[in-house]
Amino acid sequence: MATVFKPIRPKKLSEEIVDQIKELISRGELNPGQRIPSERELASFLGVSRPSVREAIMVLEAMGFLESRQGGGTYVRSLADVTMADPLANMVERRDPRMLHALTEVRIGLETWSAYLAAKRAEDSEIERLRELYATMVEQAETGGWDAEIDSEFHLTITAATHNTLQVHVLNTIQSLFQTTIMVALSEFYSKEGYIELLLSHHREIMEAIADHDPERARDKMMEHLTLVEEKLALFLQKERPDTA
């Protein structure tokens, strides 16, 4: 019976650091794309030596939790496998009708639920960030429409407000794919009189529902918005490829 037991081995400092950083990522304290403190700062925060921190970072990079970027700095990677977006990217870039339509359906499923959860969990700082982004949209609308990046950040801020770590990581991984659907839809909206005002009202209503902590209304308003996006995207694809079923 005694042979099934193994001696307990004390953890190395670097292993303790690895476990702590993994825990922070899993709890959403460290989010995808966020830069972690430098080796020197981490050593100071944790009360350990820089070699222990360096070893832990190397382990976390090998495990896929962190990545070093050109120009300096170590960043949190998405928990979702980033390679899953690679085979889809080419089809999206070619504006493959089936892929764009599928992406819009995925957006509807994920983001209506994000809006619902955000309305239940959003903190004051996240609601304030939505207000700042909306104010930028209003300002840019006066010159014909806002940047797709602003629209994208508005939606990502809603996802972050869910405080659901996996939801944040999954959406962060495929956000670059969604960006194409956003850009195509916005170009269609901007070419039609009155649609900029309609889009602004959609974003305002979503924001207000989240600020009021009304989950059902937030979900319904996001559904209304993304359904319109889906319709405009379908019209665009029909014009671009009239022979596409």
Side-chain angles (χ1 to χ4, degrees):
M1 178 65 179
T3 57
V4 300
F5 295 98
K6 296 179 181 179
I8 300 297
R9 181 178 62 85
K11 282 189 175 182
K12 295 169 57 180
L13 279 175
S14 61
E15 292 175 338
E16 295 280 0
I17 298 167
V18 166
D19 289 345
Q20 186 172 153
I21 292 177
K22 284 170 61 178
E23 176 67 16
L24 290 171
I25 292 172
S26 69
R27 293 207 316 259
E29 298 290 335
L30 292 172
N31 289 310
Q34 184 174 342
R35 182 173 179 170
I36 67 169
S38 66
E39 282 184 12
R40 179 177 58 79
E41 291 171 323
L42 278 174
S44 176
F45 294 153
L46 298 170
V48 298
S49 66
R50 289 183 66 176
S52 294
V53 171
R54 188 176 303 118
E55 182 179 350
I57 289 174
M58 290 174 63
V59 170
L60 288 162
E61 287 180 338
M63 295 171 70
F65 285 93
L66 300 177
E67 64 177 346
S68 295
R69 295 185 183 175
Q70 188 174 5
T74 303
Y75 295 79
V76 179
R77 292 182 67 185
S78 173
L79 291 178
D81 184 4
V82 294
T83 61
M84 79 178 191
D86 293 343
L88 304 177
N90 288 335
M91 287 186 282
V92 172
E93 288 170 4
R94 295 199 309 268
R95 294 186 175 181
D96 180 286
R98 291 184 181 87
M99 183 54 59
L100 289 175
H101 178 71
L103 276 173
T104 306
E105 289 185 339
V106 170
R107 280 194 73 194
I108 290 173
L110 289 174
E111 294 201 48
T112 53
W113 186 238
S114 287
Y116 181 91
L117 291 178
K120 296 179 72 173
R121 302 171 180 172
E123 298 174 356
D124 290 345
S125 60
E126 291 160 336
I127 293 170
E128 181 58 31
R129 183 55 183 156
L130 287 176
R131 295 194 188 282
E132 291 172 357
L133 290 167
Y134 177 73
T136 301
M137 289 180 180
V138 172
E139 182 180 345
Q140 292 185 356
E142 295 176 0
T143 61
W146 53 90
D147 297 334
E149 289 80 7
I150 296 295
D151 198 290
S152 179
E153 187 177 350
F154 184 91
H155 287 269
L156 279 177
T157 300
I158 292 172
T159 300
T162 68
H163 298 275
N164 181 308
T165 303
L166 188 55
Q167 181 105 341
V168 172
H169 280 266
V170 169
L171 274 167
N172 181 269
T173 299
I174 57 179
Q175 184 61 28
S176 61
L177 302 180
F178 287 169
Q179 191 84 349
T180 301
T181 68
I182 292 172
M183 292 175 66
V184 170
L186 287 179
S187 67
E188 281 295 288
F189 285 128
Y190 295 161
S191 66
K192 303 291 190 301
E193 186 176 350
Y195 271 97
I196 291 179
E197 291 77 10
L198 179 60
L199 276 184
L200 279 176
S201 70
H202 278 189
H203 286 86
R204 185 184 67 253
E205 289 167 353
I206 293 167
M207 176 183 69
E208 289 175 348
I210 292 172
D212 291 342
H213 298 289
D214 188 334
E216 285 80 10
R217 178 156 59 95
R219 179 181 56 200
D220 291 347
K221 291 301 180 181
M222 183 66 80
M223 175 66 80
E224 180 182 348
H225 171 60
L226 292 178
T227 298
L228 184 62
V229 170
E230 183 180 34
E231 291 172 359
K232 285 297 173 186
L233 188 61
L235 288 174
F236 170 82
L237 294 173
Q238 192 174 37
K239 287 191 303 183
E240 192 169 74
R241 301 189 182 189
D243 57 335
T244 301

